[in-house]
Amino acid sequence: MDTIIKLFDDVKSMIWPIGVADVIDMLIMAFVIYKVILLIRRTSSGGVAKGILLLVAALWVSSFLRLYTVNFLLSKVVEWGVLALVILFQPEIRRFLEQVGRSSLGKVFAQREERNELDSAITQTVEAYTSLSRSKTGALMVFERKNMLDDAIKTGTALDCTVNAELLKNIFWNKAPLHDGAVIVRSGRIAGAGCMLPMSGNVNLSRDLGMRHRAGIGASEQTDAVVAIVSEETGSISVAVGGMLKRHLSPDTLERLLRNELLPEQEQEEEPKFKLSNLLRSRKGEKNDVEKDHRQ
């Protein structure tokens, strides 16, 4: 019992001196670490981060084992490496500082603005896809969520404009220079067009799926994005989420599905999110429709 009381007193003595300044200090460091992790996620810097951690670990091991020559060389590499990292990540650091400089109280309303932009983007997308489906014009749109798609945007043409039905129809017109790639939507705005997406590695996909569908499924497998596709051969509308493809959607179903996935707080109780059960239920409905058409 005395040991437990002594342990409790030791813990209390360590925690009690923490003041307001210490809490602020920890919050600042947590914010900086969060921003660094976010920076690594937004760019293809995962390999660089692993290399830095490996170098630091090697420096510590060489110091612990008293490998003086190795430790000296590694310490010099670290000294010059800081300068190299500043040069390497100069665009990202500049973008971060610009965002800090632009921060204001107006950001309190940023989430509501983004939701309004997404709502408008969904409406315009459904309008465009209805027209593209009728004319059998191929289309591929990726709605970014938590996983950033900066690498994909770099493969196309970077844009920053609102989602507009007429603009989408012009982009996907088969003689337009950007019609072969994907349009990427970030926070309700078009961030890139003509972008290349990774192909799906699923060998069990149906053979009648073209390159657009395979690219859309691939993007949904590797990220949490919502991908909307129009087939150039049949004009059918499809949506890929989490590596699953839901095909032959009507414009109304497309709109409901996009709203459920991109605006989940809205109609959350009325419409379940995109799941395998929904896919099976939809396939069953399509089968019933086909049987009904045959009977007629």
Side-chain angles (χ1 to χ4, degrees), residues 206-222:
S206 174
R207 291 184 179 180
D208 62 345
L209 294 178
M211 300 297 283
R212 279 191 181 87
H213 290 83
R214 293 178 183 274
I217 295 171
S220 71
E221 287 172 343
Q222 298 187 22

Side-chain angles (χ1 to χ4, degrees), residues 10-31:
D10 291 340
V11 173
K12 185 178 178 182
S13 64
M14 287 187 293
I15 297 176
W16 185 257
I18 296 177
V20 177
D22 299 314
V23 173
I24 294 173
D25 189 26
M26 287 186 287
L27 289 175
I28 291 174
M29 286 307 302
F31 177 76

Side-chain angles (χ1 to χ4, degrees), residues 190-232:
I190 296 177
C195 303
M196 299 295 105
L197 302 179
M199 292 292 171
S200 173
N202 188 350
V203 296
N204 297 318
L205 293 177
S206 174
R207 291 184 179 180
D208 62 345
L209 294 178
M211 300 297 283
R212 279 191 181 87
H213 290 83
R214 293 178 183 274
I217 295 171
S220 71
E221 287 172 343
Q222 298 187 22
T223 69
D224 63 347
V226 179
V227 186
I229 310 155
V230 175
S231 171
E232 191 172 356

Side-chain angles (χ1 to χ4, degrees), residues 42-161:
R42 290 176 65 96
T43 61
S44 55
S45 309
V48 176
K50 290 177 183 176
I52 294 171
L53 292 176
L54 184 62
L55 187 62
V56 172
L59 183 64
W60 180 82
V61 171
S62 65
S63 176
F64 179 77
L65 297 178
R66 298 182 181 179
L67 304 175
Y68 298 114
T69 305
V70 175
N71 184 263
F72 173 77
L73 292 175
L74 288 176
S75 62
K76 291 299 180 184
V77 170
V78 170
E79 288 177 12
W80 287 102
V82 173
L83 179 61
L85 285 175
V86 171
I87 297 172
L88 183 64
F89 291 105
Q90 185 267 338
E92 286 79 8
I93 293 172
R94 180 178 177 179
R95 192 179 305 121
F96 169 71
L97 293 175
E98 286 177 351
Q99 289 176 356
V100 171
R102 286 198 301 265
S103 62
S104 63
L105 292 176
K107 285 195 172 180
V108 175
F109 305 99
Q111 190 173 2
R112 182 175 295 179
E113 259 180 53
E114 180 180 328
R115 191 176 184 85
N116 291 338
E117 292 256 24
L118 265 174
D119 185 82
S120 174
I122 291 170
T123 302
Q124 294 295 315
T125 299
V126 172
E127 182 181 338
Y129 268 43
T130 302
S131 176
L132 294 171
S133 176
R134 283 198 298 262
S135 62
K136 293 186 179 180
T137 303
L140 180 60
M141 286 184 69
V142 182
F143 291 87
E144 181 186 80
R145 291 200 277 189
K146 290 183 180 178
N147 297 143
M148 311 305 289
L149 300 172
D150 287 21
D151 289 341
I153 293 172
K154 289 176 183 176
T155 65
T157 301
L159 300 172
D160 183 17
C161 56

Side-chain angles (χ1 to χ4, degrees), residues 177 237 239:
I237 300 173
V239 170

